[in-house]
Amino acid sequence: MTLSAASVMALLARLEELSRERPDRVLRLRGQLQLAAGPLEPYELLIFRGFSSSTTHPTDFDPDQPVLPDGAVIETAELLQAPLNPAAEQLLAGPVSPEVFLESGGWA
């Protein structure tokens, strides 16, 4: 899905808001981003308890700064059981479009 930078930020803000209501869930977003003039790079972002954190790229310490740079493309979302256990990850839904999780019912 290709969204403007403002749309990506609005999407992330809504998903973070919904994640506060479900501390037993982690939402993993995957996509691609363009850094400088280089090729597209894959990225992964986790949303948990109202916060986004990149597992593939550094993020700013300032929570008011965007987690994703301009040009980021969100491709898929997966809902996982929290707390995360890398050795025994529990996938509850996905991969699907991130819009599926814009309503609280998608987090069930």
Side-chain angles (χ1 to χ4, degrees), residues 7-17 29 43 45 47 50 52 66-68 74 102:
S7 296
V8 168
M9 296 316 301
L11 174 69
L12 289 178
R14 177 68 179 141
L15 293 173
E16 287 172 346
E17 178 184 329
L29 301 176
Y43 77 84
L45 189 73
I47 300 177
S52 294
V67 176
L68 294 174
I74 299 171
L102 285 174

Side-chain angles (χ1 to χ4, degrees), residues 35-49:
L35 296 177
L40 287 174
E41 293 184 19
Y43 77 84
E44 180 179 272
L45 189 73
L46 299 178
I47 300 177
F48 178 63
R49 292 187 178 194

Side-chain angles (χ1 to χ4, degrees), residues 8 36 39 55 60 69 77 86 97 104 108:
V8 168
T55 62
D60 199 313
S97 171
S104 60

Side-chain angles (χ1 to χ4, degrees), residues 25-89:
R25 301 287 189 257
V26 175
L27 188 64
R28 176 169 44 209
L29 301 176
R30 290 186 171 149
Q32 297 185 51
L33 54 88
Q34 180 98 39
L35 296 177
L40 287 174
E41 293 184 19
Y43 77 84
E44 180 179 272
L45 189 73
L46 299 178
I47 300 177
F48 178 63
R49 292 187 178 194
F51 295 96
S52 294
S53 180
S54 174
T55 62
T56 55
H57 292 80
T59 54
D60 199 313
F61 288 112
D62 183 354
D64 293 328
Q65 294 301 311
V67 176
L68 294 174
D70 289 346
V73 177
I74 299 171
E75 296 172 340
T76 63
E78 298 170 329
L79 189 64
L80 305 166
Q81 179 68 44
L84 286 181
N85 177 353
E89 211 173 69

